[in-house]
PDB file of all heavy atoms in Angstrom:
ATOM      1  N   ASP A  91       3.333   4.347   0.744  1.00  0.00           N
ATOM      2  CA  ASP A  91       2.061   3.711   0.415  1.00  0.00           C
ATOM      3  C   ASP A  91       1.123   3.857   1.608  1.00  0.00           C
ATOM      4  O   ASP A  91       1.300   3.219   2.633  1.00  0.00           O
ATOM      5  CB  ASP A  91       2.296   2.234   0.105  1.00  0.00           C
ATOM      6  CG  ASP A  91       1.008   1.504  -0.285  1.00  0.00           C
ATOM      7  OD1 ASP A  91      -0.035   2.181  -0.411  1.00  0.00           O
ATOM      8  OD2 ASP A  91       1.059   0.271  -0.463  1.00  0.00           O
ATOM      9  N   GLU A  93      -2.274   3.623   1.062  1.00  0.00           N
ATOM     10  CA  GLU A  93      -3.542   3.138   0.531  1.00  0.00           C
ATOM     11  C   GLU A  93      -3.743   1.673   0.911  1.00  0.00           C
ATOM     12  O   GLU A  93      -2.873   0.824   0.662  1.00  0.00           O
ATOM     13  CB  GLU A  93      -3.569   3.279  -0.988  1.00  0.00           C
ATOM     14  CG  GLU A  93      -4.902   2.955  -1.627  1.00  0.00           C
ATOM     15  CD  GLU A  93      -4.919   3.266  -3.117  1.00  0.00           C
ATOM     16  OE1 GLU A  93      -4.018   3.986  -3.582  1.00  0.00           O
ATOM     17  OE2 GLU A  93      -5.831   2.783  -3.793  1.00  0.00           O
ATOM     18  N   PRO A  95      -5.194  -2.197   0.897  1.00  0.00           N
ATOM     19  CA  PRO A  95      -5.486  -3.125  -0.209  1.00  0.00           C
ATOM     20  C   PRO A  95      -6.990  -3.155  -0.526  1.00  0.00           C
ATOM     21  O   PRO A  95      -7.816  -2.807   0.309  1.00  0.00           O
ATOM     22  CB  PRO A  95      -5.015  -4.474   0.331  1.00  0.00           C
ATOM     23  CG  PRO A  95      -4.103  -4.167   1.474  1.00  0.00           C
ATOM     24  CD  PRO A  95      -4.608  -2.881   2.055  1.00  0.00           C
ATOM     25  N   SER A 124      -6.167  -7.236  -3.996  1.00  0.00           N
ATOM     26  CA  SER A 124      -5.156  -6.574  -4.825  1.00  0.00           C
ATOM     27  C   SER A 124      -4.672  -5.326  -4.102  1.00  0.00           C
ATOM     28  O   SER A 124      -5.271  -4.869  -3.136  1.00  0.00           O
ATOM     29  CB  SER A 124      -5.718  -6.210  -6.206  1.00  0.00           C
ATOM     30  OG  SER A 124      -6.807  -5.318  -6.085  1.00  0.00           O
ATOM     31  N   ASP A 125      -3.571  -4.760  -4.599  1.00  0.00           N
ATOM     32  CA  ASP A 125      -2.996  -3.585  -3.950  1.00  0.00           C
ATOM     33  C   ASP A 125      -2.261  -2.740  -4.978  1.00  0.00           C
ATOM     34  O   ASP A 125      -1.739  -3.266  -5.962  1.00  0.00           O
ATOM     35  CB  ASP A 125      -2.035  -4.007  -2.838  1.00  0.00           C
ATOM     36  CG  ASP A 125      -1.496  -2.834  -2.050  1.00  0.00           C
ATOM     37  OD1 ASP A 125      -2.305  -2.151  -1.392  1.00  0.00           O
ATOM     38  OD2 ASP A 125      -0.281  -2.579  -2.101  1.00  0.00           O
ATOM     39  N   ASN A 126      -2.207  -1.420  -4.734  1.00  0.00           N
ATOM     40  CA  ASN A 126      -1.489  -0.541  -5.649  1.00  0.00           C
ATOM     41  C   ASN A 126       0.007  -0.845  -5.663  1.00  0.00           C
ATOM     42  O   ASN A 126       0.716  -0.557  -6.621  1.00  0.00           O
ATOM     43  CB  ASN A 126      -1.720   0.932  -5.273  1.00  0.00           C
ATOM     44  CG  ASN A 126      -1.197   1.265  -3.881  1.00  0.00           C
ATOM     45  OD1 ASN A 126      -1.316   0.478  -2.951  1.00  0.00           O
ATOM     46  ND2 ASN A 126      -0.632   2.450  -3.727  1.00  0.00           N
ATOM     47  N   GLY A 127       0.523  -1.451  -4.570  1.00  0.00           N
ATOM     48  CA  GLY A 127       1.925  -1.814  -4.502  1.00  0.00           C
ATOM     49  C   GLY A 127       2.233  -3.136  -5.185  1.00  0.00           C
ATOM     50  O   GLY A 127       3.400  -3.498  -5.336  1.00  0.00           O
ATOM     51  N   GLY A 128       1.199  -3.863  -5.587  1.00  0.00           N
ATOM     52  CA  GLY A 128       1.415  -5.098  -6.346  1.00  0.00           C
ATOM     53  C   GLY A 128       1.433  -6.360  -5.502  1.00  0.00           C
ATOM     54  O   GLY A 128       1.087  -7.424  -5.973  1.00  0.00           O
ATOM     55  N   THR A 129       1.854  -6.270  -4.242  1.00  0.00           N
ATOM     56  CA  THR A 129       1.953  -7.448  -3.396  1.00  0.00           C
ATOM     57  C   THR A 129       1.002  -7.322  -2.218  1.00  0.00           C
ATOM     58  O   THR A 129       0.989  -6.298  -1.531  1.00  0.00           O
ATOM     59  CB  THR A 129       3.388  -7.629  -2.859  1.00  0.00           C
ATOM     60  OG1 THR A 129       4.296  -7.719  -3.962  1.00  0.00           O
ATOM     61  CG2 THR A 129       3.501  -8.882  -2.019  1.00  0.00           C
ATOM     62  N   ASP A 178      -0.781  -5.240   2.843  1.00  0.00           N
ATOM     63  CA  ASP A 178       0.218  -4.961   1.811  1.00  0.00           C
ATOM     64  C   ASP A 178       1.599  -4.808   2.440  1.00  0.00           C
ATOM     65  O   ASP A 178       1.775  -4.919   3.658  1.00  0.00           O
ATOM     66  CB  ASP A 178      -0.170  -3.728   0.979  1.00  0.00           C
ATOM     67  CG  ASP A 178      -0.186  -2.445   1.801  1.00  0.00           C
ATOM     68  OD1 ASP A 178       0.386  -2.408   2.899  1.00  0.00           O
ATOM     69  OD2 ASP A 178      -0.785  -1.444   1.331  1.00  0.00           O
TER      70      ASP A 178
END
Side-chain angles (χ1 to χ4, degrees):
D91 182 5
E93 187 174 345
S124 61
D125 185 64
N126 62 321
T129 302
D178 65 17

